[in-house]
Amino acid sequence: MTRHLLEITDLTPDELARILVLARATPTPVLAGRGVALVFEKPSARTRHSSEMAVVALGGHPAVVGAGEVGIDTRESAEDVARTLASFHDVVCARVFDHSVLNRMAAALDVAGFKVPVVNLLSDQGHPCQAVADLLTLEDVLGPDLSGKVITYVGDANNVTRSLALAATARGMVVRIAAPERYSFGADEVEALDAWAAGAGASGAVEVHHDPVAAVTGADAIYTDVWVSMGQEAEAAERREHLARYSVTETLVGHAPDAAVLHCLPAHRGEEITDGVLEGPTSAIWRQVRHRYHAMVGIFSWLDEQGALR
Ligand code: CP
Ligand code: NVA
């Protein structure tokens, strides 16, 4: 069966560990003569360029496709877009608004017998490629054994938070989520994350907090992301009001002065993070950006190892 990568839960903890190893290895030409479709329904700087250059490094041809060009569910159905791209390319990667579109694309390929994996380049639900880069960054700054280390996510519990929590707990980390009640994960979701962490068999766990100071105290790393994700622009004013207390400022970081600071970017400086913290001595953010490329090298190389590429 074709291996798709729509969320970190599509991997076992060992497979995730293997991707991290492959990400740090010298790229081999596993994509030689192969095309990789990179479809974007939303803007992107890091994801587009890291994916594109990783495909080039692995000897393949990246084909970047804008939303208007293929018109998912407007010009033709997501299923027909997926099958068409899979007729020419050996991997179909997509950034979509609605995660169910990725599920439909993967199902359409499976049902029709295409052995072409679908990779999530960010949806409203998750951002697994980012989470792989986040783990590489955390290993660099906290050491290769992340087990028992604490990372505190401050702000809107969103797509990035979800994939980060899954990836970090799979590596044995304790993930504290500091968010206001209305922008935190619900009880069902926390239960699912806890079950995942327990299933990973390491020391990973998820904790929900509402007080950012208590949540960062004693943390090894602090992570944040925008308060208004792509597609949520209509809620911007309301979100800014409720999340104002969850800004990663010099004062907040002062409660964990040695903690590494991460942000997936793009940042809204002065909202979820201050300039001073982003550019500060504990910021690992630019290292994290560069790891987006290594993460994609690891993911494509792992798909090849699985025999997922034709
Ligand atoms: N972090 C991230 O995915 O950035 P882009 O939206 O620029 O791709
Ligand atoms: N949560 C953000 C991440 C951007 C990389 C968004 O979905 O817009």
Side-chain angles (χ1 to χ4, degrees):
M1 186 149 127
T2 308
R3 301 297 301 272
H4 302 287
L5 180 49
L6 305 189
E7 184 47 286
I8 294 295
T9 46
D10 290 327
L11 303 167
T12 66
D14 285 349
E15 288 172 339
L16 178 58
R18 180 66 186 152
I19 288 176
L20 298 177
V21 169
L22 290 168
R24 293 189 188 278
T26 305
T28 55
V30 297
L31 291 175
R34 301 171 196 270
V36 175
L38 303 167
V39 184
F40 289 89
E41 282 192 335
K42 308 179 191 181
S44 170
R46 284 145 290 267
T47 308
R48 182 216 161 140
H49 290 277
S50 59
S51 304
E52 194 164 339
M53 294 315 293
V55 172
V56 169
L58 294 165
H61 176 84
V64 176
V65 185
E69 234 178 303
V70 283
I72 296 174
D73 288 334
T74 53
R75 188 165 184 263
E76 56 189 323
S77 70
E79 287 82 357
D80 288 356
V81 170
R83 289 176 182 178
T84 300
L85 294 175
S87 298
F88 308 109
H89 297 286
D90 286 12
V91 189
V92 174
C93 306
R95 167 169 286 195
V96 298
F97 282 97
D98 181 349
H99 190 84
S100 67
V101 167
L102 294 171
N103 291 327
R104 287 169 52 208
M105 291 174 104
L109 296 183
D110 291 344
V111 165
F114 284 88
K115 292 189 173 31
V116 173
V118 177
V119 174
N120 179 5
L121 296 181
L122 180 145
S123 70
D124 57 341
Q125 294 298 305
H127 199 359
C129 300
Q130 176 72 53
V132 172
D134 298 342
L135 288 182
L136 291 167
T137 311
L138 289 165
E139 285 182 347
D140 282 359
V141 295
L142 303 181
D145 182 7
L146 295 175
S147 184
K149 297 271 186 349
V150 176
I151 181 165
T152 300
Y153 180 94
V154 183
D156 177 36
N158 60 16
N159 46 2
V160 168
T161 325
R162 186 171 293 110
S163 296
L164 172 72
L166 291 165
T169 54
R171 301 297 292 154
M173 294 187 81
V174 175
V175 180
R176 297 180 186 160
I177 298 167
E181 187 100 42
R182 65 188 291 168
Y183 296 120
S184 189
F185 289 144
D188 288 357
E189 175 124 50
V190 174
E191 205 176 304
L193 286 168
D194 273 338
W196 161 261
S203 53
V206 174
E207 296 174 5
V208 172
H209 292 249
H210 299 302
D211 175 7
V213 171
V216 301
T217 302
D220 299 293
I222 297 170
Y223 199 120
T224 191
D225 181 20
V226 291
W227 294 337
V228 184
S229 285
M230 292 179 277
Q232 297 175 333
E233 290 77 8
E235 303 166 21
E238 199 182 357
R239 288 177 159 274
R240 287 192 182 109
E241 184 189 329
H242 288 277
L243 285 153
R245 202 162 72 84
Y246 294 84
S247 182
V248 177
T249 61
E250 285 85 338
T251 307
L252 184 66
V253 166
H255 294 277
D258 299 326
V261 176
L262 283 78
H263 190 313
C264 59
L265 301 183
H268 288 181
R269 294 166 185 249
E271 284 190 18
E272 78 280 357
I273 191 166
T274 59
D275 248 343
V277 173
L278 203 156
E279 306 294 352
T282 57
S283 170
I285 292 169
W286 298 109
R287 177 184 287 272
Q288 188 183 3
V289 171
R290 180 58 189 161
H291 274 319
R292 293 298 310 276
Y293 160 81
H294 298 121
M296 296 316 297
V297 167
I299 288 165
F300 291 131
S301 303
W302 177 79
L303 287 170
D304 174 63
E305 259 190 12
Q306 298 312 302
L309 307 183
R310 286 177 297 195

